[in-house]
Amino acid sequence: MTERSRTFTWSDPGQTASKARERAGLDFLEAVAAGELPAPPIADALGMRLVSVDSGSVAFTLDPAEFHYNPIGSVHGGVHATLLDSAAGCAVHSTLPAGTGCTSLDLAVRFVRPITTDTGTITCVGTVVHRGRRTAIAEARLVDGAGRLLATATSTCLIQEAKS
């Protein structure tokens, strides 16, 4: 058996979270994408990168690696779900004013194709489909470099307004 190891570091998530409350969602996510604010620990753990942000839309990339694998030799579905949930949630967050946050109420994932290290860089784009006062609905699509669909999801997010 050949063993492998991996080491990674992350920044204090509390410091980044406090900045999230001080800034409008779009401004906050742009600062994370630009590296002005650290990414959350889950992004460091998985190696996912927030690469673009617009109001109502975000994109993450990830290079599939062996440490993402399940026991049958492909990327674990939890990695797909994490990317899809992150993209959907951040798309909603990009529409929020300062002091307002959101959290996932549900996530419906559909797996289309397996992902392996041979797949190459994958991109997950989240887009807001509906934004109400208390809830929002977002879709996310996970594709390979050729644009082939790998997985898709829909999510409902609860909008948590700033406390007065």
Side-chain angles (χ1 to χ4, degrees):
M1 178 183 280
T2 304
E3 293 196 21
R4 292 162 170 78
S5 67
R6 178 171 181 259
T7 303
F8 67 97
T9 59
W10 63 92
S11 298
D12 178 358
Q15 292 177 351
T16 302
S18 69
K19 299 294 183 195
R21 290 185 286 276
E22 297 170 2
R23 295 177 161 190
L26 183 60
D27 180 50
F28 170 73
L29 292 169
E30 287 173 335
V32 172
E36 296 165 18
L37 291 173
I42 189 66
D44 294 323
L46 291 179
M48 57 193 240
R49 299 166 303 282
L50 179 60
V51 295
S52 72
V53 180
D54 200 357
S55 182
S57 178
V58 303
F60 286 88
T61 61
L62 180 132
D63 294 317
E66 287 180 339
F67 64 84
H68 295 123
Y69 274 22
N70 59 28
I72 60 171
S74 62
V75 172
H76 189 280
V79 176
H80 301 60
T82 300
L83 280 163
L84 293 159
D85 184 55
S86 297
C90 286
V92 171
H93 193 80
S94 72
T95 68
L96 302 178
T100 304
C102 65
T103 190
S104 301
L105 289 173
D106 63 25
L107 181 71
V109 177
R110 286 155 301 284
F111 302 98
V112 178
R113 287 186 174 85
I115 301 170
T116 67
T117 55
D118 293 335
T119 303
T121 302
I122 57 177
T123 302
C124 189
V125 176
T127 308
V128 174
V129 209
H130 168 76
R131 162 99 153 63
R133 189 177 63 78
R134 298 289 296 147
T135 62
I137 299 170
E139 297 174 338
R141 294 174 48 89
L142 185 57
V143 299
D144 66 12
R148 287 182 296 241
L149 186 65
L150 303 169
T152 185
T154 55
S155 177
T156 306
C157 294
L158 175 65
I159 297 169
Q160 300 166 314
E161 296 179 5
K163 294 179 179 148
S164 7

